[in-house]
Amino acid sequence: MTRTPPTATELALTAEVNLLGLTATSHQFERWRAKRWLAPTDQWTDPATSALRPDIVHRAAWLAALSRPGRGISWIGWTFWAIDDTEQTAALLRQALIRTIQLPLRQAGITLAQIPHGDSDTAFETRQNLAARLLEGRRAIGRDLDGLLRTRAGTVGITLPEPRTVSNPFDASLIRIGARLLTGGTADVSPEELTEAWRSVWTGPPEQLDRITVAHLAADHAGTDLHAISPLAHGLPGLVHALEQADAHLLCEAVRACTKASSTLTKLLLERADAEMLTVLMDDVMWDHWVRAGGIAPASRLGEAAITLSTVQYLLVPGWAEDLHRYQDRMDRLLDAPTAPTSGGRPV
């Protein structure tokens, strides 16, 4: 098929990207425009000067750096949609999040329509069977990031903050409960079952779990069901509905915040990890509320699931967004802090 020759504007952008030591072609520009990662060509220049806009050059350079033959850029593409925050990019973002959050169902050959509603015995049994199907063939995760870091620290004599919650948020007992929550919501899991699952892997202060239990009992006595206000109150169908109904600008805001936080965390752990930095990160509730349960987001399906989970919590969990922004400030300060020099005068 004959391709249209590159325009003068495309050639100019190619040259700018080349000056940065990267390579981008008009064919790539075409694909990036089709994906809505790059603006239409008629928006690349400043109307007053006809010069290429710096943000367009910056975006093209990022895309060129991220692009690899035969490989996608995963959730990083979502970041560009969230930054642009237009009606079209918000719609693409919404579709991507909804598609990702339903991945466990697709992997098990289940559709959302197969999950029955209602509290009849038949509906309950069907949801329990669907939850069991979600777990078939699932690989167990022996230790999460927290466990790996603690084991490593122990071998070299480093003391890290004491655990505050569970030994592993991906423990099989919690995952089994999680599968039932996805298919049936909190109505299908009794408070006693949930507490027992947490207690089986709890390594934090015992009194903390006791306080949680007491809070639920007090709420029940007052006629308030705390599980009913959980993001999983209505299972996966409820999460999909929440994403469908979320305000477009708020959705973009949530993804911008979550992708920025995951990128900062990854950079910290790869480039600045030391005992002091880890202690600061771990000595915060967001270590358990976010880092251990979706903070690490590789450029893969696993990373897309992590960003989706974070986005859902940002939108639905009271106070979670504020905590993430506070944690972002903490990570930024750690990233900006000077590194300790070595004896040779170079940073560690």
Short mmCIF file of all heavy atoms in Angstrom, two decimals, residues 24-90:
data_model
loop_
_atom_site.label_atom_id
_atom_site.label_comp_id
_atom_site.label_asym_id
_atom_site.label_seq_id
_atom_site.Cartn_x
_atom_site.Cartn_y
_atom_site.Cartn_z
N ALA A 24 12.07 8.71 15.45
CA ALA A 24 10.62 8.65 15.23
C ALA A 24 10.36 8.90 13.75
O ALA A 24 11.00 9.76 13.14
CB ALA A 24 9.91 9.68 16.09
N THR A 25 9.43 8.14 13.20
CA THR A 25 9.11 8.27 11.78
C THR A 25 7.67 8.74 11.60
O THR A 25 6.86 8.69 12.53
CB THR A 25 9.28 6.92 11.07
OG1 THR A 25 8.27 6.01 11.55
CG2 THR A 25 10.66 6.33 11.33
N SER A 26 7.36 9.16 10.40
CA SER A 26 5.99 9.59 10.11
C SER A 26 5.00 8.44 10.28
O SER A 26 3.84 8.65 10.63
CB SER A 26 5.91 10.15 8.69
OG SER A 26 6.32 9.18 7.74
N HIS A 27 5.47 7.21 10.02
CA HIS A 27 4.59 6.05 10.21
C HIS A 27 4.25 5.87 11.68
O HIS A 27 3.12 5.53 12.04
CB HIS A 27 5.27 4.78 9.68
CG HIS A 27 5.73 4.90 8.26
ND1 HIS A 27 5.02 5.59 7.30
CD2 HIS A 27 6.84 4.41 7.63
CE1 HIS A 27 5.66 5.53 6.14
NE2 HIS A 27 6.77 4.82 6.31
N GLN A 28 5.24 6.11 12.56
CA GLN A 28 4.97 6.05 13.99
C GLN A 28 4.03 7.17 14.42
O GLN A 28 3.12 6.95 15.22
CB GLN A 28 6.27 6.13 14.78
CG GLN A 28 7.11 4.86 14.71
CD GLN A 28 8.42 5.03 15.46
OE1 GLN A 28 9.20 5.95 15.18
NE2 GLN A 28 8.69 4.14 16.41
N PHE A 29 4.24 8.36 13.88
CA PHE A 29 3.34 9.47 14.20
C PHE A 29 1.90 9.09 13.85
O PHE A 29 0.97 9.40 14.60
CB PHE A 29 3.72 10.73 13.41
CG PHE A 29 5.08 11.29 13.75
CD1 PHE A 29 5.80 12.02 12.83
CD2 PHE A 29 5.63 11.09 15.01
CE1 PHE A 29 7.04 12.55 13.13
CE2 PHE A 29 6.87 11.61 15.33
CZ PHE A 29 7.59 12.34 14.39
N GLU A 30 1.74 8.41 12.72
CA GLU A 30 0.40 8.00 12.28
C GLU A 30 -0.24 7.06 13.30
O GLU A 30 -1.42 7.22 13.65
CB GLU A 30 0.51 7.32 10.92
CG GLU A 30 -0.82 6.89 10.33
CD GLU A 30 -0.67 6.21 8.97
OE1 GLU A 30 0.42 6.35 8.36
OE2 GLU A 30 -1.62 5.55 8.54
N ARG A 31 0.53 6.09 13.78
CA ARG A 31 0.00 5.15 14.77
C ARG A 31 -0.30 5.86 16.08
O ARG A 31 -1.32 5.60 16.72
CB ARG A 31 1.00 4.01 15.01
CG ARG A 31 1.12 3.03 13.85
CD ARG A 31 1.80 1.75 14.30
NE ARG A 31 3.17 1.97 14.73
CZ ARG A 31 4.22 1.97 13.93
NH1 ARG A 31 4.06 1.80 12.63
NH2 ARG A 31 5.44 2.15 14.40
N TRP A 32 0.58 6.77 16.52
CA TRP A 32 0.37 7.47 17.78
C TRP A 32 -0.84 8.38 17.72
O TRP A 32 -1.57 8.52 18.71
CB TRP A 32 1.63 8.26 18.15
CG TRP A 32 2.84 7.39 18.37
CD1 TRP A 32 2.85 6.05 18.65
CD2 TRP A 32 4.20 7.80 18.32
NE1 TRP A 32 4.14 5.60 18.78
CE2 TRP A 32 5.00 6.65 18.59
CE3 TRP A 32 4.85 9.01 18.09
CZ2 TRP A 32 6.39 6.70 18.62
CZ3 TRP A 32 6.23 9.05 18.11
CH2 TRP A 32 7.00 7.91 18.38
N ARG A 33 -1.06 8.99 16.56
CA ARG A 33 -2.27 9.82 16.40
C ARG A 33 -3.51 8.94 16.46
O ARG A 33 -4.51 9.30 17.09
CB ARG A 33 -2.22 10.59 15.08
CG ARG A 33 -1.27 11.77 15.06
CD ARG A 33 -1.50 12.63 13.83
NE ARG A 33 -1.29 11.87 12.60
CZ ARG A 33 -0.18 11.95 11.86
NH1 ARG A 33 0.81 12.77 12.22
NH2 ARG A 33 -0.05 11.24 10.76
N ALA A 34 -3.47 7.77 15.81
CA ALA A 34 -4.61 6.86 15.81
C ALA A 34 -4.94 6.37 17.21
O ALA A 34 -6.11 6.17 17.55
CB ALA A 34 -4.33 5.67 14.89
N LYS A 35 -3.91 6.20 18.05
CA LYS A 35 -4.11 5.77 19.43
C LYS A 35 -4.52 6.93 20.35
O LYS A 35 -4.80 6.72 21.52
CB LYS A 35 -2.81 5.17 19.98
CG LYS A 35 -2.40 3.85 19.37
CD LYS A 35 -3.21 2.70 19.94
CE LYS A 35 -2.64 1.36 19.52
NZ LYS A 35 -3.42 0.23 20.11
N ARG A 36 -4.54 8.16 19.83
CA ARG A 36 -4.82 9.37 20.61
C ARG A 36 -3.73 9.64 21.64
O ARG A 36 -3.98 10.29 22.66
CB ARG A 36 -6.19 9.28 21.31
CG ARG A 36 -7.34 9.06 20.36
CD ARG A 36 -7.66 10.31 19.56
NE ARG A 36 -8.76 10.07 18.63
CZ ARG A 36 -9.25 10.96 17.78
NH1 ARG A 36 -8.71 12.17 17.74
NH2 ARG A 36 -10.23 10.66 16.97
N TRP A 37 -2.53 9.14 21.39
CA TRP A 37 -1.40 9.45 22.27
C TRP A 37 -0.72 10.75 21.82
O TRP A 37 -0.04 11.40 22.61
CB TRP A 37 -0.36 8.34 22.24
CG TRP A 37 -0.84 7.05 22.80
CD1 TRP A 37 -1.85 6.88 23.72
CD2 TRP A 37 -0.36 5.73 22.51
NE1 TRP A 37 -2.02 5.55 24.01
CE2 TRP A 37 -1.11 4.82 23.29
CE3 TRP A 37 0.64 5.24 21.67
CZ2 TRP A 37 -0.89 3.44 23.24
CZ3 TRP A 37 0.86 3.87 21.63
CH2 TRP A 37 0.10 2.99 22.41
N LEU A 38 -0.92 11.11 20.57
CA LEU A 38 -0.31 12.32 20.00
C LEU A 38 -1.41 13.12 19.33
O LEU A 38 -2.28 12.54 18.65
CB LEU A 38 0.77 11.93 18.98
CG LEU A 38 1.69 13.04 18.47
CD1 LEU A 38 2.52 13.62 19.61
CD2 LEU A 38 2.62 12.48 17.38
N ALA A 39 -1.37 14.42 19.48
CA ALA A 39 -2.41 15.29 18.92
C ALA A 39 -2.39 15.26 17.40
O ALA A 39 -1.37 14.92 16.78
CB ALA A 39 -2.20 16.72 19.42
N PRO A 40 -3.51 15.62 16.74
CA PRO A 40 -3.52 15.74 15.28
C PRO A 40 -2.45 16.72 14.81
O PRO A 40 -2.10 17.68 15.52
CB PRO A 40 -4.93 16.28 14.98
CG PRO A 40 -5.76 15.83 16.15
CD PRO A 40 -4.84 15.88 17.33
N THR A 41 -1.94 16.52 13.61
CA THR A 41 -0.82 17.30 13.09
C THR A 41 -1.11 18.80 13.09
O THR A 41 -0.20 19.61 13.33
CB THR A 41 -0.46 16.85 11.66
OG1 THR A 41 -0.36 15.42 11.65
CG2 THR A 41 0.86 17.44 11.22
N ASP A 42 -2.36 19.19 12.82
CA ASP A 42 -2.66 20.62 12.74
C ASP A 42 -2.58 21.31 14.11
O ASP A 42 -2.71 22.53 14.19
CB ASP A 42 -4.03 20.85 12.10
CG ASP A 42 -5.19 20.22 12.88
OD1 ASP A 42 -4.95 19.66 13.97
OD2 ASP A 42 -6.33 20.26 12.38
N GLN A 43 -2.36 20.54 15.18
CA GLN A 43 -2.21 21.13 16.51
C GLN A 43 -0.76 21.13 16.99
O GLN A 43 -0.48 21.49 18.14
CB GLN A 43 -3.08 20.35 17.52
CG GLN A 43 -4.57 20.39 17.22
CD GLN A 43 -5.37 19.55 18.21
OE1 GLN A 43 -4.92 19.24 19.31
NE2 GLN A 43 -6.58 19.16 17.80
N TRP A 44 0.17 20.75 16.13
CA TRP A 44 1.56 20.61 16.56
C TRP A 44 2.31 21.94 16.64
O TRP A 44 3.34 22.02 17.31
CB TRP A 44 2.33 19.71 15.60
CG TRP A 44 1.92 18.26 15.67
CD1 TRP A 44 0.92 17.72 16.41
CD2 TRP A 44 2.53 17.20 14.94
NE1 TRP A 44 0.85 16.36 16.19
CE2 TRP A 44 1.82 16.02 15.30
CE3 TRP A 44 3.56 17.11 14.02
CZ2 TRP A 44 2.14 14.77 14.76
CZ3 TRP A 44 3.89 15.88 13.49
CH2 TRP A 44 3.19 14.71 13.85
N THR A 45 1.84 22.94 15.96
CA THR A 45 2.59 24.20 15.89
C THR A 45 1.89 25.33 16.62
O THR A 45 0.66 25.33 16.79
CB THR A 45 2.83 24.61 14.42
OG1 THR A 45 1.56 24.70 13.75
CG2 THR A 45 3.70 23.59 13.71
N ASP A 46 2.67 26.32 17.02
CA ASP A 46 2.15 27.53 17.65
C ASP A 46 1.58 28.42 16.56
O ASP A 46 2.29 28.80 15.62
CB ASP A 46 3.30 28.26 18.36
CG ASP A 46 2.83 29.48 19.13
OD1 ASP A 46 1.83 30.10 18.72
OD2 ASP A 46 3.48 29.82 20.13
N PRO A 47 0.28 28.76 16.61
CA PRO A 47 -0.34 29.58 15.55
C PRO A 47 0.37 30.92 15.33
O PRO A 47 0.40 31.44 14.21
CB PRO A 47 -1.77 29.79 16.04
CG PRO A 47 -2.01 28.67 17.00
CD PRO A 47 -0.69 28.40 17.64
N ALA A 48 0.95 31.45 16.39
CA ALA A 48 1.58 32.77 16.28
C ALA A 48 2.94 32.72 15.59
O ALA A 48 3.32 33.65 14.89
CB ALA A 48 1.72 33.40 17.66
N THR A 49 3.67 31.61 15.78
CA THR A 49 5.05 31.54 15.27
C THR A 49 5.26 30.43 14.25
O THR A 49 6.30 30.42 13.57
CB THR A 49 6.03 31.31 16.42
OG1 THR A 49 5.77 30.03 17.01
CG2 THR A 49 5.88 32.40 17.48
N SER A 50 4.30 29.51 14.14
CA SER A 50 4.42 28.32 13.27
C SER A 50 5.52 27.36 13.73
O SER A 50 5.85 26.40 13.03
CB SER A 50 4.68 28.73 11.81
OG SER A 50 3.58 29.46 11.31
N ALA A 51 6.11 27.62 14.91
CA ALA A 51 7.13 26.71 15.45
C ALA A 51 6.46 25.53 16.14
O ALA A 51 5.32 25.62 16.63
CB ALA A 51 8.01 27.46 16.44
N LEU A 52 7.16 24.40 16.18
CA LEU A 52 6.64 23.23 16.87
C LEU A 52 6.45 23.53 18.36
O LEU A 52 7.31 24.16 18.99
CB LEU A 52 7.59 22.05 16.72
CG LEU A 52 7.62 21.35 15.36
CD1 LEU A 52 8.78 20.35 15.31
CD2 LEU A 52 6.31 20.61 15.09
N ARG A 53 5.34 23.12 18.89
CA ARG A 53 5.09 23.32 20.32
C ARG A 53 6.02 22.44 21.14
O ARG A 53 6.20 21.25 20.84
CB ARG A 53 3.64 22.98 20.65
CG ARG A 53 2.63 23.99 20.14
CD ARG A 53 1.20 23.45 20.17
NE ARG A 53 0.92 22.67 21.39
CZ ARG A 53 -0.16 21.89 21.51
NH1 ARG A 53 -1.01 21.76 20.50
NH2 ARG A 53 -0.36 21.21 22.63
N PRO A 54 6.65 22.96 22.18
CA PRO A 54 7.57 22.16 23.01
C PRO A 54 6.92 20.92 23.61
O PRO A 54 7.55 19.87 23.72
CB PRO A 54 8.01 23.14 24.09
CG PRO A 54 7.84 24.49 23.47
CD PRO A 54 6.64 24.38 22.58
N ASP A 55 5.63 21.04 23.99
CA ASP A 55 4.97 19.87 24.59
C ASP A 55 4.77 18.75 23.58
O ASP A 55 4.79 17.57 23.92
CB ASP A 55 3.64 20.27 25.22
CG ASP A 55 2.66 20.84 24.21
OD1 ASP A 55 3.02 21.79 23.50
OD2 ASP A 55 1.53 20.33 24.13
N ILE A 56 4.61 19.11 22.30
CA ILE A 56 4.48 18.09 21.25
C ILE A 56 5.81 17.38 21.04
O ILE A 56 5.87 16.15 20.92
CB ILE A 56 3.99 18.72 19.93
CG1 ILE A 56 2.56 19.23 20.08
CG2 ILE A 56 4.09 17.72 18.78
CD1 ILE A 56 1.52 18.15 20.31
N VAL A 57 6.89 18.14 21.03
CA VAL A 57 8.22 17.53 20.90
C VAL A 57 8.50 16.62 22.10
O VAL A 57 9.00 15.49 21.94
CB VAL A 57 9.30 18.63 20.80
CG1 VAL A 57 10.70 17.99 20.76
CG2 VAL A 57 9.09 19.49 19.55
N HIS A 58 8.14 17.09 23.27
CA HIS A 58 8.35 16.31 24.48
C HIS A 58 7.55 15.01 24.43
O HIS A 58 8.07 13.92 24.75
CB HIS A 58 7.92 17.15 25.70
CG HIS A 58 8.18 16.48 27.02
ND1 HIS A 58 7.19 15.79 27.70
CD2 HIS A 58 9.30 16.38 27.77
CE1 HIS A 58 7.69 15.30 28.82
NE2 HIS A 58 8.96 15.64 28.89
N ARG A 59 6.29 15.09 24.01
CA ARG A 59 5.44 13.90 23.92
C ARG A 59 6.00 12.92 22.89
O ARG A 59 6.05 11.71 23.15
CB ARG A 59 4.01 14.31 23.55
CG ARG A 59 3.03 13.16 23.34
CD ARG A 59 2.63 12.48 24.62
NE ARG A 59 1.92 13.37 25.51
CZ ARG A 59 0.59 13.56 25.49
NH1 ARG A 59 -0.17 12.90 24.64
NH2 ARG A 59 0.03 14.37 26.36
N ALA A 60 6.38 13.42 21.73
CA ALA A 60 6.92 12.54 20.69
C ALA A 60 8.21 11.87 21.14
O ALA A 60 8.46 10.69 20.85
CB ALA A 60 7.16 13.33 19.40
N ALA A 61 9.03 12.61 21.89
CA ALA A 61 10.28 12.03 22.39
C ALA A 61 10.00 10.91 23.39
O ALA A 61 10.65 9.86 23.36
CB ALA A 61 11.13 13.13 23.04
N TRP A 62 9.03 11.13 24.27
CA TRP A 62 8.65 10.08 25.23
C TRP A 62 8.15 8.85 24.49
O TRP A 62 8.53 7.70 24.82
CB TRP A 62 7.57 10.59 26.17
CG TRP A 62 8.10 11.07 27.48
CD1 TRP A 62 8.16 12.36 27.93
CD2 TRP A 62 8.67 10.27 28.52
NE1 TRP A 62 8.72 12.42 29.18
CE2 TRP A 62 9.05 11.14 29.58
CE3 TRP A 62 8.90 8.91 28.66
CZ2 TRP A 62 9.64 10.69 30.75
CZ3 TRP A 62 9.49 8.44 29.84
CH2 TRP A 62 9.85 9.33 30.86
N LEU A 63 7.30 9.05 23.51
CA LEU A 63 6.76 7.92 22.75
C LEU A 63 7.86 7.18 22.01
O LEU A 63 7.88 5.95 21.94
CB LEU A 63 5.68 8.40 21.78
CG LEU A 63 4.35 8.80 22.45
CD1 LEU A 63 3.48 9.61 21.49
CD2 LEU A 63 3.60 7.55 22.91
N ALA A 64 8.80 7.92 21.46
CA ALA A 64 9.92 7.29 20.75
C ALA A 64 10.78 6.48 21.71
O ALA A 64 11.23 5.38 21.37
CB ALA A 64 10.77 8.36 20.06
N ALA A 65 10.98 7.01 22.91
CA ALA A 65 11.79 6.29 23.90
C ALA A 65 11.09 5.03 24.40
O ALA A 65 11.75 4.03 24.72
CB ALA A 65 12.10 7.22 25.08
N LEU A 66 9.78 5.07 24.45
CA LEU A 66 9.02 3.94 24.99
C LEU A 66 8.73 2.86 23.97
O LEU A 66 8.49 1.70 24.33
CB LEU A 66 7.68 4.44 25.56
CG LEU A 66 7.77 5.34 26.79
CD1 LEU A 66 6.43 6.03 27.03
CD2 LEU A 66 8.16 4.53 28.02
N SER A 67 8.71 3.23 22.70
CA SER A 67 8.30 2.29 21.65
C SER A 67 9.37 1.25 21.37
O SER A 67 10.55 1.58 21.24
CB SER A 67 7.98 3.06 20.36
OG SER A 67 6.89 3.94 20.56
N ARG A 68 8.92 0.00 21.31
CA ARG A 68 9.79 -1.12 20.96
C ARG A 68 9.07 -1.97 19.92
O ARG A 68 7.86 -2.19 20.03
CB ARG A 68 10.12 -1.98 22.18
CG ARG A 68 10.88 -1.26 23.28
CD ARG A 68 12.32 -0.96 22.86
NE ARG A 68 13.08 -0.36 23.96
CZ ARG A 68 13.12 0.93 24.23
NH1 ARG A 68 12.40 1.76 23.48
NH2 ARG A 68 13.84 1.40 25.23
N PRO A 69 9.79 -2.47 18.92
CA PRO A 69 9.13 -3.29 17.89
C PRO A 69 8.39 -4.48 18.50
O PRO A 69 8.94 -5.22 19.31
CB PRO A 69 10.31 -3.77 17.03
CG PRO A 69 11.38 -2.74 17.23
CD PRO A 69 11.24 -2.30 18.66
N GLY A 70 7.12 -4.62 18.13
CA GLY A 70 6.33 -5.75 18.59
C GLY A 70 5.84 -5.66 20.02
O GLY A 70 5.26 -6.63 20.53
N ARG A 71 6.06 -4.53 20.69
CA ARG A 71 5.64 -4.39 22.08
C ARG A 71 4.83 -3.11 22.26
O ARG A 71 5.13 -2.08 21.67
CB ARG A 71 6.85 -4.34 23.02
CG ARG A 71 7.66 -5.63 23.08
CD ARG A 71 8.87 -5.47 23.97
NE ARG A 71 8.51 -5.08 25.32
CZ ARG A 71 9.41 -4.78 26.26
NH1 ARG A 71 10.71 -4.81 25.98
NH2 ARG A 71 9.01 -4.45 27.48
N GLY A 72 3.78 -3.19 23.09
CA GLY A 72 2.99 -2.02 23.39
C GLY A 72 3.59 -1.26 24.56
O GLY A 72 4.55 -1.71 25.18
N ILE A 73 3.02 -0.12 24.87
CA ILE A 73 3.54 0.67 25.99
C ILE A 73 2.64 0.57 27.22
O ILE A 73 2.82 1.28 28.20
CB ILE A 73 3.73 2.15 25.60
CG1 ILE A 73 2.41 2.80 25.22
CG2 ILE A 73 4.73 2.27 24.47
CD1 ILE A 73 2.53 4.31 24.97
N SER A 74 1.65 -0.34 27.15
CA SER A 74 0.82 -0.68 28.30
C SER A 74 0.16 0.57 28.89
O SER A 74 -0.28 1.46 28.17
CB SER A 74 1.68 -1.41 29.34
OG SER A 74 0.89 -1.93 30.41
N TRP A 75 0.11 0.63 30.24
CA TRP A 75 -0.64 1.71 30.91
C TRP A 75 -0.01 3.08 30.73
O TRP A 75 -0.66 4.10 31.03
CB TRP A 75 -0.79 1.41 32.40
CG TRP A 75 0.50 1.23 33.15
CD1 TRP A 75 1.11 0.06 33.48
CD2 TRP A 75 1.34 2.27 33.69
NE1 TRP A 75 2.27 0.30 34.17
CE2 TRP A 75 2.44 1.64 34.32
CE3 TRP A 75 1.28 3.66 33.70
CZ2 TRP A 75 3.47 2.35 34.95
CZ3 TRP A 75 2.29 4.37 34.32
CH2 TRP A 75 3.37 3.72 34.94
N ILE A 76 1.20 3.14 30.21
CA ILE A 76 1.80 4.46 29.98
C ILE A 76 0.98 5.22 28.95
O ILE A 76 0.88 6.45 29.00
CB ILE A 76 3.27 4.31 29.55
CG1 ILE A 76 4.04 3.55 30.64
CG2 ILE A 76 3.91 5.67 29.31
CD1 ILE A 76 5.45 3.17 30.27
N GLY A 77 0.37 4.49 28.02
CA GLY A 77 -0.52 5.13 27.07
C GLY A 77 -1.73 5.74 27.75
O GLY A 77 -2.25 6.78 27.32
N TRP A 78 -2.17 5.11 28.85
CA TRP A 78 -3.28 5.68 29.61
C TRP A 78 -2.90 7.03 30.20
O TRP A 78 -3.72 7.94 30.30
CB TRP A 78 -3.68 4.76 30.76
CG TRP A 78 -4.08 3.36 30.39
CD1 TRP A 78 -4.13 2.82 29.13
CD2 TRP A 78 -4.48 2.33 31.28
NE1 TRP A 78 -4.53 1.52 29.19
CE2 TRP A 78 -4.74 1.18 30.49
CE3 TRP A 78 -4.63 2.25 32.66
CZ2 TRP A 78 -5.16 -0.03 31.07
CZ3 TRP A 78 -5.04 1.06 33.23
CH2 TRP A 78 -5.31 -0.07 32.44
N THR A 79 -1.62 7.14 30.59
CA THR A 79 -1.15 8.40 31.17
C THR A 79 -1.34 9.55 30.19
O THR A 79 -1.78 10.65 30.57
CB THR A 79 0.34 8.29 31.56
OG1 THR A 79 0.51 7.16 32.42
CG2 THR A 79 0.82 9.53 32.26
N PHE A 80 -1.01 9.31 28.92
CA PHE A 80 -1.17 10.37 27.92
C PHE A 80 -2.64 10.75 27.76
O PHE A 80 -2.98 11.92 27.61
CB PHE A 80 -0.58 9.91 26.58
CG PHE A 80 0.90 9.64 26.62
CD1 PHE A 80 1.44 8.51 26.04
CD2 PHE A 80 1.77 10.51 27.27
CE1 PHE A 80 2.81 8.26 26.07
CE2 PHE A 80 3.13 10.27 27.31
CZ PHE A 80 3.65 9.14 26.72
N TRP A 81 -3.53 9.75 27.76
CA TRP A 81 -4.96 10.06 27.67
C TRP A 81 -5.41 10.89 28.87
O TRP A 81 -6.17 11.84 28.72
CB TRP A 81 -5.77 8.76 27.64
CG TRP A 81 -5.60 7.93 26.41
CD1 TRP A 81 -5.17 8.36 25.18
CD2 TRP A 81 -5.86 6.53 26.27
NE1 TRP A 81 -5.14 7.32 24.29
CE2 TRP A 81 -5.56 6.17 24.93
CE3 TRP A 81 -6.30 5.54 27.14
CZ2 TRP A 81 -5.70 4.88 24.45
CZ3 TRP A 81 -6.44 4.24 26.67
CH2 TRP A 81 -6.16 3.91 25.35
N ALA A 82 -4.92 10.51 30.05
CA ALA A 82 -5.32 11.22 31.27
C ALA A 82 -4.80 12.65 31.28
O ALA A 82 -5.48 13.58 31.73
CB ALA A 82 -4.83 10.47 32.50
N ILE A 83 -3.58 12.84 30.78
CA ILE A 83 -3.00 14.19 30.73
C ILE A 83 -3.80 15.07 29.77
O ILE A 83 -4.10 16.23 30.07
CB ILE A 83 -1.52 14.12 30.30
CG1 ILE A 83 -0.68 13.49 31.42
CG2 ILE A 83 -0.99 15.50 29.93
CD1 ILE A 83 0.75 13.20 31.01
N ASP A 84 -4.17 14.52 28.62
CA ASP A 84 -4.90 15.32 27.63
C ASP A 84 -6.31 15.64 28.12
O ASP A 84 -6.84 16.72 27.84
CB ASP A 84 -4.96 14.58 26.30
CG ASP A 84 -3.59 14.51 25.62
OD1 ASP A 84 -2.70 15.30 25.99
OD2 ASP A 84 -3.40 13.66 24.73
N ASP A 85 -6.96 14.70 28.82
CA ASP A 85 -8.23 14.95 29.50
C ASP A 85 -9.27 15.57 28.58
O ASP A 85 -9.89 16.59 28.90
CB ASP A 85 -7.99 15.85 30.72
CG ASP A 85 -9.16 15.86 31.70
OD1 ASP A 85 -10.18 15.23 31.40
OD2 ASP A 85 -9.04 16.53 32.75
N THR A 86 -9.48 14.95 27.42
CA THR A 86 -10.53 15.39 26.50
C THR A 86 -11.67 14.38 26.56
O THR A 86 -11.55 13.31 27.16
CB THR A 86 -10.01 15.47 25.06
OG1 THR A 86 -9.70 14.14 24.58
CG2 THR A 86 -8.76 16.33 24.97
N GLU A 87 -12.76 14.71 25.92
CA GLU A 87 -13.90 13.79 25.90
C GLU A 87 -13.51 12.46 25.26
O GLU A 87 -13.88 11.39 25.75
CB GLU A 87 -15.05 14.44 25.12
CG GLU A 87 -16.31 13.59 25.07
CD GLU A 87 -17.45 14.28 24.34
OE1 GLU A 87 -17.40 15.51 24.18
OE2 GLU A 87 -18.39 13.58 23.92
N GLN A 88 -12.72 12.53 24.19
CA GLN A 88 -12.33 11.31 23.49
C GLN A 88 -11.34 10.48 24.31
O GLN A 88 -11.48 9.25 24.42
CB GLN A 88 -11.71 11.66 22.13
CG GLN A 88 -12.72 12.19 21.12
CD GLN A 88 -12.05 12.61 19.83
OE1 GLN A 88 -10.96 13.17 19.81
NE2 GLN A 88 -12.72 12.34 18.72
N THR A 89 -10.33 11.14 24.89
CA THR A 89 -9.34 10.38 25.64
C THR A 89 -9.92 9.82 26.93
O THR A 89 -9.55 8.73 27.37
CB THR A 89 -8.09 11.22 25.95
OG1 THR A 89 -8.44 12.35 26.76
CG2 THR A 89 -7.43 11.69 24.66
N ALA A 90 -10.84 10.55 27.56
CA ALA A 90 -11.49 10.03 28.76
C ALA A 90 -12.31 8.79 28.44
O ALA A 90 -12.35 7.83 29.23
CB ALA A 90 -12.38 11.10 29.39
#
